[in-house]
Amino acid sequence: MMTPDGSTAAPTHPTASARTHPNSAVRDVPPTRVVPSLRAEVETGFAKRPRELSPKHLYDARGAELFEQICALPEYYLTRTETALLHAHATAIIEAARPAEIVELGAGSARKTEILLAAAADHAARNQAPLTFWPMDVCVSALDEAAQRLRERFPRIAVKPLAGDHTAGLSHLPARSGARLFVFLGSTLGNFEPAGAQRLLGDIARQMGPDDRLLLGVDTVKDTATLEAAYNDAAGVTAAFNENLINVLNRELDGDLDIAGFRHRAVYNPELQRIESYLDATRAQTGTFAALDASHAFAPGDSIFTEISRKFTPDSLDADLAPAGLVRTADFLADGNRYALHVIARADA
């Protein structure tokens, strides 16, 4: 659900990629295609049953803060397991990719990628080679903070942040100076339906040369209890994160939905091998969105489908990679196949 399948082509802006934000060194990456706005998503998604919205709207400033808290929760194994894998295998990953540039999609704070950058900086120093890091995210403030921290730690790495939505295409990335390692961590691929995942992977593949690689972090299929606990933590942080979507709707669309009338629910769907997150109405209410000149009535039990988190097997991941012309070349698995990092290349490389 992260990226709608009905996007249309957007006009190209060949010079816009050089634009910077005021008081920031962040450069814009113009979209390749139009991604629907929140207004458009509410108009189409609320016509469905259950209603649905893209999970990208969960990440306003408050949502991003709550997600940082989620990553530290004892039930949420994904972040610490992926971090441990990076610590264990960063050198091997860099030796396999030998990048002159690292491009991270959805970089955020780039905390985990910092582990990879340390190995890449060592590799570049040994080979007396330049190294550039292009973190890409929609949040300019997060990019600025990450860039300042990384420049202080890695003065020999050229950190060049990019503001853009990776779900809108990647054809306007800056010109390359050498082999690139694309990085897509956090099992974010799992937030996409298969068609959306395949399209995103295709966008990446079209930017890859024969010497380029993609480092992909994905969560794996495991027992239902472990999976559901990760999205229903005892402290209620994930519930607050999901329910904050109501605040986003009210703020952005001048709405008056009562957040107290909704409850977070996350369940594992074994047939589709994914967690499904919902906001369930606990009582009847009608919300008015002045920006849409529209009202929406909720009965008890009505739901907003807010997010999926697919869990992967090698076969299901390959089913997403193959249509994009990509193949796995190295796999790094946590104990008990609890999580996986994959190094991926073009199939024709």
Side-chain angles (χ1 to χ4, degrees):
M1 294 197 315
M2 183 74 112
T3 177
D5 291 331
S7 298
T8 57
T12 58
H13 304 278
T15 62
S17 62
R19 189 170 74 244
T20 59
H21 293 262
N23 304 315
S24 171
V26 176
R27 296 170 57 182
D28 278 331
V29 177
T32 304
R33 55 180 173 264
V34 174
V35 174
S37 65
L38 176 60
R39 175 193 296 259
E41 285 196 26
V42 169
E43 289 175 341
T44 58
F46 273 30
K48 301 177 181 179
R49 294 295 181 272
R51 298 169 173 88
E52 65 179 49
L53 289 173
S54 166
K56 68 183 180 183
H57 302 299
L58 294 165
Y59 294 89
D60 68 341
R62 177 58 176 160
E65 176 185 333
L66 287 167
F67 186 72
E68 289 290 325
Q69 296 177 32
I70 288 170
C71 290
L73 293 169
E75 299 95 334
Y76 197 77
Y77 59 86
L78 288 83
T79 300
R80 63 177 176 272
T81 308
E82 186 175 61
T83 300
L85 279 174
L86 286 168
H87 276 298
H89 302 293
T91 298
I93 291 166
I94 292 300
E95 290 294 337
R98 305 180 69 84
E101 301 183 352
I102 296 175
V103 179
E104 183 175 15
L105 307 180
S109 66
R111 290 286 180 186
K112 286 178 291 187
T113 316
E114 194 167 346
I115 302 165
L116 199 66
L117 290 175
D122 288 344
H123 180 273
R126 288 195 306 272
N127 292 276
Q128 296 184 323
L131 178 64
T132 301
F133 177 45
W134 302 95
M136 182 176 176
D137 202 274
V138 295
C139 181
V140 172
S141 61
L143 289 170
D144 278 330
E145 292 171 8
Q148 180 177 351
R149 184 185 80 250
L150 295 172
R151 287 172 183 143
E152 291 175 356
R153 180 177 177 187
F154 304 111
R156 295 186 61 179
I157 297 179
V159 181
K160 300 181 179 181
L162 303 170
D165 183 349
H166 57 263
T167 70
L170 300 170
S171 61
H172 297 300
L173 287 175
R176 66 174 56 240
S177 61
R180 277 182 170 172
L181 173 62
F182 289 85
V183 177
F184 196 41
L185 299 175
S187 201
T188 307
L189 189 73
N191 292 132
F192 296 78
E193 298 280 3
Q198 291 163 25
R199 186 172 65 181
L200 174 60
L201 290 168
D203 288 340
I204 297 171
R206 281 186 289 275
Q207 302 305 313
M208 292 175 66
D211 295 327
D212 294 347
R213 296 294 182 267
L214 164 65
L215 177 63
L216 182 65
V218 296
D219 197 12
T220 56
V221 173
K222 54 183 68 68
D223 65 281
T224 298
T226 298
L227 290 170
E228 291 192 345
Y231 297 86
N232 294 281
D233 61 275
V237 182
T238 309
F241 170 72
N242 198 21
E243 291 163 5
N244 183 59
L245 182 62
I246 302 300
N247 293 329
V248 173
L249 290 171
N250 286 340
R251 182 182 65 246
E252 298 299 326
L253 301 176
D254 195 12
D256 61 1
L257 281 173
D258 183 2
I259 191 173
F262 292 89
R263 181 176 298 135
H264 162 76
R265 174 169 58 95
V267 294
Y268 182 60
N269 182 330
E271 181 179 353
L272 296 178
Q273 297 181 328
R274 69 188 195 184
I275 289 285
E276 298 174 349
S277 296
Y278 299 87
L279 290 173
D280 295 334
T282 58
R283 58 175 173 79
Q285 67 167 302
T286 298
T288 299
F289 298 112
L292 302 178
D293 192 24
S295 297
H296 293 274
F298 289 83
D302 284 354
S303 298
I304 305 173
F305 188 16
T306 60
E307 187 174 32
I308 63 170
S309 182
R310 294 166 62 206
K311 309 303 172 183
F312 293 90
T313 65
D315 286 346
S316 64
L317 179 59
D318 287 346
D320 280 353
L321 295 173
L326 297 172
V327 294
R328 291 179 289 122
T329 60
D331 306 307
F332 301 97
L333 305 177
D335 291 343
N337 195 28
R338 190 173 176 83
Y339 194 90
L341 290 173
H342 301 284
V343 178
I344 293 162
R346 278 179 22 184
D348 60 355

